[in-house]
Coordinates of all heavy atoms in Angstrom, one line a residue:
M1 N 4.2 7.4 19.9 CA 3.1 7.8 20.7 C 3.3 9.1 21.3 O 4.3 9.3 22.0 CB 2.9 6.7 21.7 CG 1.5 6.7 22.4 SD 0.1 6.7 21.3 CE -1.2 7.2 22.4
T2 N 2.4 10.1 21.0 CA 2.6 11.4 21.5 C 1.3 11.8 22.2 O 0.2 11.4 21.9 CB 3.0 12.4 20.5 OG1 2.0 12.4 19.4 CG2 4.3 12.2 19.9
D3 N 1.4 12.7 23.1 CA 0.3 13.2 23.9 C 0.3 14.7 23.7 O 1.3 15.4 24.1 CB 0.5 12.9 25.4 CG -0.7 12.1 25.9 OD1 -1.7 12.0 25.2 OD2 -0.5 11.4 26.9
D4 N -0.8 15.3 23.2 CA -0.8 16.7 23.0 C -1.3 17.4 24.3 O -2.2 17.0 24.9 CB -1.8 17.0 21.9 CG -1.9 18.5 21.6 OD1 -1.0 19.2 22.0 OD2 -2.8 18.9 20.8
D5 N -0.5 18.4 24.7 CA -1.0 19.1 25.9 C -1.1 20.6 25.5 O -0.2 21.3 25.4 CB 0.1 19.0 27.0 CG -0.4 19.7 28.3 OD1 -1.4 20.5 28.2 OD2 0.2 19.5 29.3
P6 N -2.4 21.0 25.2 CA -2.6 22.3 24.6 C -2.3 23.4 25.7 O -2.1 24.6 25.3 CB -4.1 22.3 24.3 CG -4.7 21.2 25.0 CD -3.6 20.2 25.2
R7 N -2.2 23.1 26.9 CA -1.9 24.1 27.9 C -0.5 24.6 27.8 O -0.2 25.8 28.1 CB -2.1 23.6 29.4 CG -3.6 23.4 29.7 CD -3.7 22.5 30.9 NE -3.0 21.3 30.7 CZ -2.8 20.4 31.7 NH1 -3.3 20.6 32.9 NH2 -2.2 19.2 31.5
T8 N 0.4 23.7 27.5 CA 1.9 24.1 27.5 C 2.4 24.3 26.0 O 3.5 24.8 25.9 CB 2.7 23.0 28.2 OG1 2.5 21.8 27.4 CG2 2.3 22.8 29.6
G9 N 1.7 23.8 25.0 CA 2.2 23.8 23.7 C 3.3 22.8 23.5 O 4.2 23.0 22.6
R10 N 3.4 21.8 24.4 CA 4.5 20.8 24.3 C 3.8 19.5 24.1 O 2.6 19.3 24.4 CB 5.3 20.7 25.6 CG 5.8 22.1 26.1 CD 7.0 22.5 25.4 NE 8.1 21.7 25.6 CZ 9.3 22.0 25.1 NH1 9.5 23.0 24.2 NH2 10.4 21.2 25.4
V11 N 4.6 18.5 23.6 CA 4.1 17.1 23.5 C 5.0 16.3 24.3 O 6.2 16.5 24.5 CB 4.0 16.6 22.0 CG1 3.0 17.4 21.3 CG2 5.4 16.8 21.4
R12 N 4.4 15.2 24.9 CA 5.2 14.2 25.6 C 5.3 13.0 24.8 O 4.3 12.4 24.4 CB 4.5 13.9 26.9 CG 5.3 13.0 27.8 CD 4.9 13.0 29.2 NE 5.2 14.3 29.9 CZ 6.4 14.6 30.3 NH1 7.4 13.8 30.2 NH2 6.6 15.8 30.8
C13 N 6.6 12.6 24.5 CA 6.8 11.5 23.6 C 7.5 10.3 24.4 O 8.3 10.6 25.2 CB 7.7 11.9 22.5 SG 8.3 10.6 21.4
A14 N 7.0 9.1 24.1 CA 7.6 8.0 24.8 C 9.1 7.8 24.6 O 9.8 7.3 25.4 CB 6.9 6.7 24.4
T15 N 9.5 8.3 23.4 CA 10.9 8.2 23.1 C 11.7 9.4 23.5 O 12.8 9.3 24.0 CB 11.1 8.0 21.5 OG1 10.3 6.8 21.1 CG2 12.6 7.7 21.2
H16 N 11.2 10.6 23.2 CA 12.0 11.8 23.4 C 11.6 12.6 24.6 O 12.2 13.7 24.8 CB 11.8 12.6 22.1 CG 12.3 11.9 20.9 ND1 11.5 11.4 19.9 CD2 13.6 11.7 20.4 CE1 12.2 10.8 19.0 NE2 13.5 11.0 19.2
G17 N 10.6 12.2 25.3 CA 10.1 13.0 26.5 C 9.4 14.2 26.1 O 8.7 14.3 25.1
D18 N 9.6 15.2 26.9 CA 8.9 16.5 26.7 C 9.5 17.3 25.6 O 10.7 17.6 25.6 CB 9.0 17.3 28.0 CG 8.1 18.6 27.9 OD1 7.1 18.6 27.4 OD2 8.6 19.6 28.5
S19 N 8.8 17.5 24.5 CA 9.3 18.1 23.3 C 8.5 19.2 22.7 O 7.3 19.3 23.1 CB 9.5 17.0 22.2 OG 10.4 16.1 22.6
A20 N 9.0 20.0 21.8 CA 8.3 21.0 21.1 C 7.4 20.2 20.1 O 7.8 19.2 19.6 CB 9.2 21.9 20.4
P21 N 6.2 20.8 19.8 CA 5.3 20.1 18.8 C 5.7 20.4 17.4 O 6.3 21.4 17.1 CB 3.9 20.7 19.1 CG 4.3 22.1 19.7 CD 5.6 21.9 20.4
A22 N 5.4 19.5 16.5 CA 5.7 19.7 15.1 C 4.6 19.0 14.3 O 4.0 18.0 14.8 CB 7.1 19.2 14.7
Y23 N 4.3 19.5 13.1 CA 3.2 18.9 12.3 C 3.7 18.4 11.0 O 4.5 19.0 10.3 CB 2.1 20.0 12.1 CG 1.4 20.4 13.3 CD1 1.9 21.5 14.1 CD2 0.3 19.7 13.8 CE1 1.3 21.9 15.2 CE2 -0.4 20.1 14.9 CZ 0.1 21.2 15.6 OH -0.5 21.6 16.8
V24 N 3.3 17.1 10.7 CA 3.7 16.5 9.4 C 2.4 15.8 8.8 O 1.5 15.6 9.6 CB 4.8 15.5 9.5 CG1 6.0 16.1 10.2 CG2 4.3 14.2 10.3
C25 N 2.5 15.5 7.5 CA 1.3 14.8 6.9 C 1.3 13.4 7.5 O 2.3 12.9 7.9 CB 1.4 14.9 5.4 SG 2.5 13.7 4.6
G26 N 0.2 12.8 7.3 CA 0.0 11.4 7.9 C 0.9 10.4 7.2 O 1.3 9.4 7.8
H27 N 1.3 10.6 5.9 CA 2.2 9.7 5.2 C 3.6 9.7 5.8 O 4.2 8.7 6.0 CB 2.2 10.1 3.7 CG 0.9 10.4 3.2 ND1 0.5 11.7 2.9 CD2 -0.2 9.6 2.9 CE1 -0.8 11.7 2.4 NE2 -1.2 10.4 2.4
L28 N 4.1 10.9 6.0 CA 5.4 11.0 6.6 C 5.4 10.4 8.0 O 6.3 9.7 8.4 CB 5.9 12.5 6.7 CG 6.3 13.2 5.4 CD1 6.7 14.6 5.7 CD2 7.6 12.5 4.8
A29 N 4.3 10.7 8.8 CA 4.2 10.2 10.1 C 4.2 8.6 10.1 O 4.8 8.0 11.0 CB 2.9 10.7 10.8
R30 N 3.6 8.0 9.1 CA 3.6 6.6 9.0 C 4.8 6.0 8.4 O 5.0 4.8 8.4 CB 2.4 6.2 8.1 CG 1.0 6.2 8.8 CD 0.0 5.3 8.1 NE -0.1 5.7 6.7 CZ -0.9 6.6 6.2 NH1 -1.6 7.3 7.0 NH2 -0.9 6.9 4.9
G31 N 5.7 6.8 7.8 CA 6.9 6.3 7.1 C 6.6 6.1 5.7 O 7.4 5.4 5.0
D32 N 5.5 6.6 5.1 CA 5.2 6.3 3.7 C 5.7 7.4 2.8 O 5.7 7.1 1.6 CB 3.6 6.3 3.6 CG 3.0 5.1 4.2 OD1 3.8 4.1 4.5 OD2 1.8 5.0 4.3
G33 N 6.1 8.5 3.3 CA 6.6 9.6 2.4 C 7.9 9.3 1.7 O 8.8 8.7 2.4
R34 N 8.0 9.6 0.4 CA 9.3 9.3 -0.3 C 10.1 10.6 -0.4 O 11.3 10.5 -0.9 CB 9.0 8.7 -1.6 CG 8.5 7.3 -1.5 CD 8.6 6.6 -2.8 NE 7.8 7.2 -3.8 CZ 6.5 7.1 -4.0 NH1 5.9 6.2 -3.3 NH2 5.8 7.7 -4.9
A35 N 9.5 11.8 -0.1 CA 10.3 13.0 -0.2 C 9.7 14.0 0.9 O 8.6 13.8 1.3 CB 10.2 13.7 -1.6
F36 N 10.6 14.8 1.4 CA 10.3 15.7 2.5 C 10.2 17.1 2.0 O 11.1 17.7 1.5 CB 11.4 15.6 3.5 CG 11.1 16.3 4.9 CD1 10.6 15.5 5.9 CD2 11.3 17.6 5.0 CE1 10.3 16.1 7.1 CE2 11.0 18.2 6.2 CZ 10.6 17.5 7.3
F37 N 9.0 17.7 2.1 CA 8.7 19.1 1.8 C 8.3 19.8 3.1 O 7.8 19.2 4.0 CB 7.6 19.3 0.7 CG 8.0 18.7 -0.6 CD1 7.8 17.3 -0.8 CD2 8.4 19.5 -1.6 CE1 8.1 16.8 -2.1 CE2 8.7 18.9 -2.9 CZ 8.6 17.6 -3.1
H38 N 8.6 21.1 3.1 CA 8.2 21.8 4.3 C 7.9 23.3 4.0 O 8.3 23.8 3.0 CB 9.3 21.8 5.4 CG 10.6 22.5 5.0 ND1 10.8 23.8 5.0 CD2 11.7 21.9 4.5 CE1 12.0 24.1 4.6 NE2 12.6 23.0 4.3
A39 N 7.1 23.9 4.8 CA 6.7 25.3 4.7 C 7.9 26.2 4.8 O 8.8 25.9 5.6 CB 5.7 25.7 5.7
D40 N 8.0 27.2 4.0 CA 9.2 28.1 4.1 C 8.7 29.6 4.4 O 9.4 30.5 4.1 CB 10.1 28.0 2.9 CG 9.3 28.3 1.6 OD1 8.1 28.7 1.7 OD2 9.9 28.1 0.5
D41 N 7.5 29.7 4.9 CA 7.0 31.1 5.1 C 7.4 31.6 6.5 O 7.1 32.7 6.8 CB 5.5 31.1 5.0 CG 4.8 30.1 5.9 OD1 5.5 29.3 6.5 OD2 3.5 30.1 5.9
D42 N 8.1 30.8 7.3 CA 8.5 31.2 8.6 C 9.9 30.7 8.9 O 10.1 29.7 9.5 CB 7.5 30.7 9.7 CG 7.9 31.2 11.1 OD1 8.9 32.0 11.2 OD2 7.3 30.7 12.0
P43 N 10.9 31.4 8.4 CA 12.3 31.0 8.5 C 12.8 30.8 9.9 O 13.7 30.1 10.2 CB 13.1 32.1 7.8 CG 12.1 32.9 7.0 CD 10.8 32.7 7.7
G44 N 12.1 31.5 10.9 CA 12.5 31.4 12.2 C 12.0 30.1 12.9 O 12.4 29.8 14.0
N45 N 11.2 29.3 12.2 CA 10.7 28.1 12.8 C 11.6 26.9 12.5 O 11.7 26.6 11.3 CB 9.2 27.9 12.3 CG 8.6 26.6 12.9 OD1 9.2 25.9 13.6 ND2 7.3 26.4 12.6
P46 N 12.2 26.4 13.5 CA 13.2 25.3 13.2 C 12.5 24.0 12.7 O 13.1 23.2 12.1 CB 13.8 25.0 14.6 CG 12.8 25.5 15.6 CD 12.1 26.6 14.9
R47 N 11.2 23.9 12.9 CA 10.4 22.7 12.5 C 9.1 23.1 11.8 O 8.1 22.9 12.4 CB 10.2 21.8 13.7 CG 11.4 21.2 14.3 CD 11.1 20.1 15.3 NE 12.3 19.6 15.9 CZ 12.8 20.0 17.1 NH1 12.1 21.0 17.8 NH2 13.9 19.5 17.6
P48 N 9.3 23.6 10.6 CA 8.1 24.1 9.9 C 7.2 22.9 9.5 O 7.7 21.7 9.4 CB 8.6 24.7 8.6 CG 10.0 24.1 8.4 CD 10.5 23.8 9.8
D49 N 5.9 23.1 9.3 CA 5.0 22.0 8.9 C 5.6 21.3 7.7 O 6.1 22.0 6.8 CB 3.6 22.6 8.5 CG 3.0 23.3 9.7 OD1 3.5 23.2 10.8 OD2 1.9 23.9 9.5
A50 N 5.5 20.0 7.6 CA 6.1 19.2 6.6 C 5.1 18.3 5.9 O 4.1 17.8 6.6 CB 7.3 18.4 7.1
W51 N 5.4 17.9 4.7 CA 4.5 17.0 4.0 C 5.3 16.2 3.0 O 6.5 16.6 2.7 CB 3.3 17.7 3.3 CG 3.8 18.8 2.4 CD1 4.0 18.7 1.0 CD2 4.0 20.2 2.7 NE1 4.4 20.0 0.5 CE2 4.4 20.9 1.5 CE3 3.9 20.9 3.9 CZ2 4.7 22.2 1.5 CZ3 4.3 22.3 3.9 CH2 4.6 22.9 2.7
C52 N 4.7 15.2 2.4 CA 5.5 14.3 1.5 C 5.3 14.6 0.0 O 4.6 15.5 -0.3 CB 5.0 12.8 1.8 SG 3.4 12.5 1.1
D53 N 5.9 13.8 -0.9 CA 5.8 14.0 -2.3 C 4.4 13.9 -2.8 O 4.0 14.7 -3.7 CB 6.7 13.0 -3.0 CG 6.4 11.6 -2.6 OD1 6.3 11.3 -1.4 OD2 6.4 10.7 -3.4
A54 N 3.6 13.0 -2.3 CA 2.3 12.8 -2.8 C 1.4 14.1 -2.4 O 0.6 14.5 -3.2 CB 1.6 11.6 -2.1
C55 N 1.6 14.6 -1.2 CA 0.9 15.8 -0.8 C 1.3 17.0 -1.6 O 0.5 17.8 -2.0 CB 1.1 16.0 0.7 SG 0.3 14.8 1.7
E56 N 2.6 17.0 -1.9 CA 3.1 18.1 -2.7 C 2.5 18.1 -4.1 O 2.1 19.2 -4.7 CB 4.7 18.1 -2.8 CG 5.3 19.1 -3.7 CD 5.2 20.5 -3.3 OE1 4.7 20.8 -2.1 OE2 5.5 21.4 -4.0
R57 N 2.4 16.9 -4.7 CA 1.8 16.8 -6.1 C 0.4 17.4 -6.0 O -0.1 18.1 -6.9 CB 1.8 15.4 -6.6 CG 3.2 15.0 -7.2 CD 3.0 13.8 -8.1 NE 2.6 12.6 -7.3 CZ 3.4 11.8 -6.6 NH1 4.7 12.1 -6.5 NH2 2.9 10.8 -5.9
L58 N -0.4 17.0 -5.0 CA -1.7 17.4 -4.9 C -1.8 18.9 -4.6 O -2.7 19.6 -5.2 CB -2.4 16.7 -3.7 CG -3.9 17.0 -3.6 CD1 -4.7 16.6 -4.9 CD2 -4.5 16.1 -2.4
R59 N -0.9 19.5 -3.8 CA -0.9 20.9 -3.6 C -0.6 21.7 -4.9 O -1.3 22.7 -5.2 CB 0.2 21.2 -2.5 CG 0.2 22.7 -2.1 CD 1.3 22.9 -1.1 NE 2.6 22.9 -1.7 CZ 3.3 24.0 -2.1 NH1 2.7 25.2 -2.0 NH2 4.5 24.0 -2.7
V60 N 0.3 21.2 -5.7 CA 0.6 21.8 -6.9 C -0.6 21.8 -7.9 O -0.9 22.7 -8.5 CB 1.9 21.2 -7.6 CG1 2.1 21.7 -9.0 CG2 3.1 21.5 -6.8
A61 N -1.2 20.6 -7.9 CA -2.4 20.4 -8.7 C -3.5 21.3 -8.3 O -4.4 21.7 -9.1 CB -2.9 18.9 -8.6
C62 N -3.5 21.8 -7.0 CA -4.5 22.7 -6.5 C -4.1 24.1 -6.6 O -4.6 25.0 -5.9 CB -4.9 22.3 -5.0 SG -5.7 20.8 -4.8
G63 N -3.1 24.3 -7.5 CA -2.6 25.7 -7.7 C -1.6 26.2 -6.7 O -1.4 27.4 -6.5
G64 N -0.9 25.3 -6.0 CA 0.1 25.6 -5.1 C -0.4 26.1 -3.7 O 0.3 26.7 -3.0
R65 N -1.7 25.9 -3.5 CA -2.3 26.4 -2.3 C -2.9 25.2 -1.5 O -3.2 24.2 -2.1 CB -3.4 27.4 -2.5 CG -2.9 28.7 -3.0 CD -4.0 29.7 -3.4 NE -4.9 29.1 -4.4 CZ -6.1 28.8 -4.2 NH1 -6.7 29.0 -3.0 NH2 -6.9 28.2 -5.1
W66 N -3.0 25.3 -0.2 CA -3.6 24.3 0.6 C -5.1 24.5 0.6 O -5.7 25.1 1.5 CB -3.0 24.3 2.1 CG -1.6 23.8 2.1 CD1 -0.5 24.6 2.4 CD2 -1.2 22.5 1.8 NE1 0.6 23.8 2.3 CE2 0.2 22.5 2.0 CE3 -1.8 21.3 1.5 CZ2 1.0 21.4 1.8 CZ3 -1.0 20.2 1.2 CH2 0.3 20.2 1.4
T67 N -5.7 23.9 -0.4 CA -7.2 24.0 -0.5 C -7.7 23.0 0.5 O -7.0 22.2 1.1 CB -7.6 23.6 -1.9 OG1 -7.2 22.2 -2.1 CG2 -7.1 24.5 -2.9
E68 N -9.0 23.0 0.7 CA -9.7 22.0 1.6 C -9.4 20.6 1.2 O -9.1 19.7 2.0 CB -11.2 22.3 1.6 CG -11.8 22.3 3.0 CD -13.2 22.9 3.0 OE1 -14.1 22.1 2.8 OE2 -13.3 24.1 3.0
E69 N -9.4 20.4 -0.1 CA -9.1 19.0 -0.6 C -7.7 18.6 -0.3 O -7.5 17.5 0.1 CB -9.4 19.0 -2.1 CG -9.2 17.6 -2.8 CD -9.1 17.7 -4.3 OE1 -9.2 18.8 -4.8 OE2 -8.9 16.6 -4.9
A70 N -6.8 19.5 -0.6 CA -5.4 19.2 -0.3 C -5.1 18.9 1.2 O -4.4 18.0 1.6 CB -4.5 20.3 -0.8
E71 N -5.7 19.7 2.0 CA -5.6 19.6 3.4 C -6.2 18.3 3.9 O -5.6 17.6 4.8 CB -6.2 20.8 4.2 CG -5.3 22.0 4.0 CD -5.4 23.0 5.2 OE1 -6.0 22.6 6.2 OE2 -4.9 24.1 5.1
A72 N -7.3 17.9 3.3 CA -8.0 16.7 3.8 C -7.1 15.5 3.5 O -7.0 14.5 4.3 CB -9.3 16.5 3.0
S73 N -6.3 15.5 2.4 CA -5.5 14.3 2.1 C -4.2 14.3 2.9 O -3.5 13.3 3.0 CB -5.2 14.3 0.6 OG -3.9 14.8 0.4
L74 N -3.8 15.5 3.5 CA -2.7 15.6 4.3 C -2.8 14.7 5.5 O -1.9 13.9 5.9 CB -2.5 17.0 4.9 CG -1.7 18.0 4.1 CD1 -1.7 19.3 4.9 CD2 -0.3 17.6 3.9
G75 N -4.0 14.7 6.2 CA -4.2 14.0 7.4 C -3.2 14.4 8.4 O -2.5 13.5 9.0
V76 N -3.0 15.7 8.6 CA -2.0 16.2 9.5 C -1.9 15.5 10.9 O -2.9 15.2 11.5 CB -2.2 17.7 9.7 CG1 -1.5 18.2 10.9 CG2 -1.6 18.5 8.5
R77 N -0.7 15.2 11.3 CA -0.4 14.6 12.5 C 0.5 15.4 13.4 O 1.4 16.0 12.9 CB 0.3 13.2 12.3 CG -0.6 12.2 11.6 CD -1.5 11.5 12.5 NE -0.8 10.9 13.6 CZ -0.2 9.7 13.6 NH1 -0.3 9.0 12.5 NH2 0.5 9.2 14.6
L78 N 0.2 15.5 14.7 CA 1.1 16.2 15.6 C 2.2 15.2 16.1 O 1.9 14.1 16.5 CB 0.3 16.6 16.8 CG 1.0 17.2 18.0 CD1 1.7 18.5 17.6 CD2 0.2 17.4 19.2
L79 N 3.4 15.6 15.9 CA 4.5 14.8 16.4 C 5.4 15.6 17.4 O 5.3 16.8 17.5 CB 5.4 14.5 15.2 CG 5.0 13.5 14.1 CD1 6.1 13.3 13.1 CD2 4.5 12.2 14.7
C80 N 6.2 14.8 18.1 CA 7.2 15.5 18.9 C 8.3 16.0 18.0 O 8.6 15.4 17.0 CB 7.6 14.6 20.0 SG 9.3 13.9 19.9
G81 N 9.0 17.0 18.5 CA 10.1 17.6 17.7 C 11.2 16.6 17.4 O 11.8 16.6 16.3
G82 N 11.5 15.7 18.3 CA 12.5 14.7 18.1 C 12.1 13.7 17.0 O 12.9 13.3 16.2
C83 N 10.8 13.3 17.0 CA 10.3 12.4 16.0 C 10.4 13.1 14.6 O 10.7 12.5 13.6 CB 8.9 11.9 16.3 SG 8.8 10.8 17.7
Y84 N 10.0 14.4 14.6 CA 10.1 15.1 13.3 C 11.5 15.2 12.8 O 11.8 14.9 11.6 CB 9.6 16.6 13.7 CG 9.7 17.6 12.5 CD1 8.5 17.9 11.8 CD2 10.9 18.2 12.2 CE1 8.6 18.9 10.8 CE2 11.0 19.1 11.2 CZ 9.8 19.4 10.5 OH 9.9 20.4 9.5
D85 N 12.5 15.4 13.7 CA 13.9 15.4 13.3 C 14.3 14.1 12.7 O 15.1 14.0 11.7 CB 14.8 15.8 14.5 CG 14.6 17.2 14.9 OD1 14.0 18.0 14.1 OD2 15.0 17.6 16.0
G86 N 13.8 13.0 13.3 CA 14.1 11.7 12.8 C 13.6 11.4 11.4 O 14.3 10.9 10.5
I87 N 12.4 11.9 11.1 CA 11.8 11.7 9.8 C 12.6 12.6 8.8 O 12.9 12.1 7.7 CB 10.3 12.2 9.8 CG1 9.5 11.1 10.6 CG2 9.8 12.3 8.4 CD1 8.1 11.6 10.9
R88 N 12.9 13.8 9.2 CA 13.6 14.7 8.3 C 15.0 14.1 7.9 O 15.5 14.3 6.8 CB 13.8 16.1 9.0 CG 14.2 17.2 8.1 CD 14.3 18.5 8.9 NE 14.2 19.6 8.0 CZ 14.0 20.9 8.4 NH1 14.0 21.1 9.7 NH2 14.0 21.9 7.6
A89 N 15.6 13.5 8.9 CA 16.9 12.9 8.6 C 16.8 11.7 7.7 O 17.8 11.3 7.0 CB 17.6 12.5 10.0
R90 N 15.7 11.0 7.8 CA 15.5 9.7 7.1 C 15.0 9.9 5.6 O 15.4 9.2 4.7 CB 14.6 8.8 7.9 CG 14.7 7.4 7.6 CD 13.9 6.6 8.8 NE 12.5 7.0 8.9 CZ 12.0 7.4 10.0 NH1 12.7 7.5 11.1 NH2 10.7 7.7 10.1
V91 N 14.1 10.9 5.5 CA 13.5 11.1 4.2 C 14.2 12.1 3.4 O 14.5 13.2 3.9 CB 12.0 11.5 4.4 CG1 11.3 11.7 3.1 CG2 11.3 10.5 5.3
P92 N 14.6 11.8 2.1 CA 15.3 12.8 1.3 C 14.5 14.1 1.1 O 13.3 14.0 0.9 CB 15.6 12.1 0.0 CG 14.7 10.9 0.0 CD 14.4 10.6 1.4
S93 N 15.1 15.2 1.1 CA 14.4 16.5 0.9 C 13.9 16.6 -0.5 O 14.7 16.3 -1.4 CB 15.3 17.6 1.3 OG 14.7 18.8 0.9
G94 N 12.7 17.1 -0.7 CA 12.2 17.3 -2.0 C 12.3 18.8 -2.4 O 11.9 19.2 -3.4
M95 N 12.9 19.6 -1.5 CA 13.0 21.0 -1.7 C 14.2 21.4 -2.6 O 15.3 20.9 -2.3 CB 13.1 21.8 -0.4 CG 12.1 21.4 0.7 SD 10.5 22.2 0.4 CE 10.9 23.9 0.7
G96 N 13.9 22.1 -3.6 CA 14.9 22.7 -4.5 C 16.0 21.6 -4.8 O 17.2 21.8 -4.7
Ligands
ZN1 ZN1 1.7 13.2 2.6
ZN2 ZN1 9.5 11.7 19.8

């Protein structure tokens, strides 16, 4: 359970407390993702936007871009950074 606070750009998580925000697809957030992909256009971001194998297949089918259709199936969820780290540690990387 997270609470978005747009004034601070932080999220408050019942487990991790006050944390940096991170975005993942709804499947990863629910624990449904079988592989972990993430954006690599911002190497300075420790928690780039992430998505699962199913979303990656759709993105590739859409020409490797986040079209409206691909984004709609993402169902992006805001997570706390600690929860993001937990998912990343649990789900095998699909990158390279
Ligand atoms: Zn997904
Ligand atoms: Zn958390």
Side-chain angles (χ1 to χ4, degrees):
M1 195 50 196
T2 53
D3 240 342
D4 182 13
D5 186 346
R7 288 166 305 174
T8 60
R10 310 283 290 181
V11 293
R12 182 163 292 282
C13 171
T15 305
H16 301 104
D18 186 39
S19 296
Y23 294 89
V24 304
C25 78
H27 316 106
L28 284 176
R30 280 200 306 273
D32 287 350
R34 287 194 301 274
F36 187 99
F37 294 82
H38 62 80
D40 55 7
D41 54 352
D42 182 5
N45 184 353
R47 296 186 181 99
D49 298 354
W51 56 91
C52 74
D53 53 315
C55 292
E56 174 66 6
R57 277 197 300 276
L58 186 56
R59 186 179 73 93
V60 170
C62 291
R65 290 175 303 115
W66 288 113
T67 62
E68 227 166 90
E69 183 197 357
E71 286 208 10
S73 100
L74 269 180
V76 157
R77 295 275 306 274
L78 173 68
L79 289 186
C80 108
C83 291
Y84 177 103
D85 291 346
I87 293 171
R88 195 177 200 171
R90 203 163 56 235
V91 180
S93 172
M95 308 284 291

